[in-house]
Amino acid sequence: MVVGLTGGIGSGKTTVLNLFKELGVPVFIADVEAKKLMNGSTEIKKRIVALLGQEAYVDGILNRPYIASKVFKDRLLLSKLNAIVHPQVHKALNSFAETHTHHNYVLYESAILFENKNEHLCDKVIVVTAPLEVRIQRVVKRDQVKESEVLLRMEHQWSQEKKVEKADFIIENDDDAGLQKKVIAIHKKITS
Ligand code: ATP
């Protein structure tokens, strides 16, 4: 079973993910896997260079600022890049789930799970939420960026309300001390 874990920027996905990890749940982080594939797969590298040019890699390592500067102002280019990377990430998720069948479920973390229409990869989806102002202040503090920068990043994501509508489980991460209890309660529901 694959359980998706998503939520907007600053909601606390990584924090929640770590609590599930402590319970022994195997975790698959979409971003990390995508980076691994973009840096490690010769086939993917070839296709990215064909799409974005030689500058996409410097000394064989992904040139992230260059790629971001190209794709974030060009939706078509972004969807072409996604079409190269996403199917491979999905394959990696499938084999990750297959190698962990002795566990009740694996957790698949993706900030833009719904935006990328990836809920079909999941049996259940958990959405982590927090009040908007709390999320903004967390990211300002964590990344040492301005509020306006956080708001800009948020524009690329669905609203929290829209995500909640599609959730099987919701974890309210509003700075209370009961986060671990909430995670344990959902873990029990999933495994019972
Ligand atoms: P992003 O989408 O940007 O990766 P995220 O949803 O993974 O964000 P986290 O990195 O888990 O969010 O949390 C953002 C920041 O808020 C971190 O610095 C984290 O330590 C802090 N934080 C998260 N949850 C709590 C909490 N319940 N209490 C206090 N701080 C928290």
Side-chain angles (χ1 to χ4, degrees):
M1 177 150 83
V2 174
V3 176
L5 178 71
T6 191
I9 178 169
S11 57
K13 292 175 296 300
T14 309
T15 309
V16 167
L17 180 102
N18 287 332
L19 291 171
F20 276 100
K21 223 169 151 182
E22 280 174 21
L23 298 175
V25 178
V27 300
F28 181 97
I29 304 170
D31 259 8
V32 171
E33 295 301 323
K35 263 180 234 161
K36 263 194 219 164
L37 286 164
M38 288 164 99
N39 277 312
S41 155
T42 316
E43 181 56 32
I44 291 183
K45 278 179 148 175
K46 241 195 254 169
R47 293 180 64 193
I48 291 178
V49 167
L51 181 71
L52 302 171
Q54 294 291 345
E55 278 178 80
Y57 290 88
V58 176
D59 298 331
I61 304 291
L62 197 66
N63 183 354
R64 289 175 66 80
Y66 170 79
I67 292 183
S69 74
K70 293 283 267 191
V71 299
F72 283 120
K73 58 182 184 219
D74 185 339
R75 279 181 169 267
L76 184 64
L77 212 51
L78 176 62
S79 65
K80 284 182 180 171
L81 177 65
N82 287 343
I84 296 171
V85 181
H86 288 174
Q88 301 304 320
V89 176
H90 299 169
K91 262 194 205 166
L93 173 64
N94 282 339
S95 47
F96 182 79
E98 274 166 22
T99 54
H100 291 91
T101 43
H102 51 295
H103 289 262
N104 282 305
Y105 68 101
V106 298
L107 207 61
Y108 158 57
E109 192 250 4
S110 167
I112 46 173
L113 191 148
F114 292 126
E115 289 86 335
N116 281 343
K117 301 187 173 63
N118 283 341
E119 62 265 40
H120 68 96
L121 301 170
C122 309
D123 298 282
K124 300 278 179 204
V125 178
I126 302 167
V127 173
V128 183
T129 66
L132 188 67
E133 194 48 40
V134 172
R135 290 169 52 204
I136 295 169
Q137 291 317 318
R138 280 179 185 163
V139 180
V140 165
K141 198 170 154 200
R142 185 194 62 192
D143 297 351
Q144 302 289 302
V145 290
K146 287 192 189 140
E147 245 186 75
S148 54
E149 167 66 23
V150 184
L151 290 170
L152 207 63
R153 292 192 209 168
M154 281 179 170
E155 274 178 25
H156 292 283
Q157 304 186 342
W158 278 17
S159 72
Q160 190 158 277
E161 292 70 30
K162 203 167 161 188
K163 287 181 180 168
V164 161
E165 275 175 29
K166 297 186 129 224
D168 296 290
F169 302 103
I170 297 160
I171 298 183
E172 255 187 78
N173 177 26
D174 44 6
D175 279 326
D176 68 11
L179 190 59
Q180 193 182 30
K181 274 190 188 151
K182 291 175 186 175
V183 167
I184 291 172
I186 289 177
H187 177 70
K188 278 190 181 153
K189 275 190 195 160
I190 296 171
T191 51
S192 64

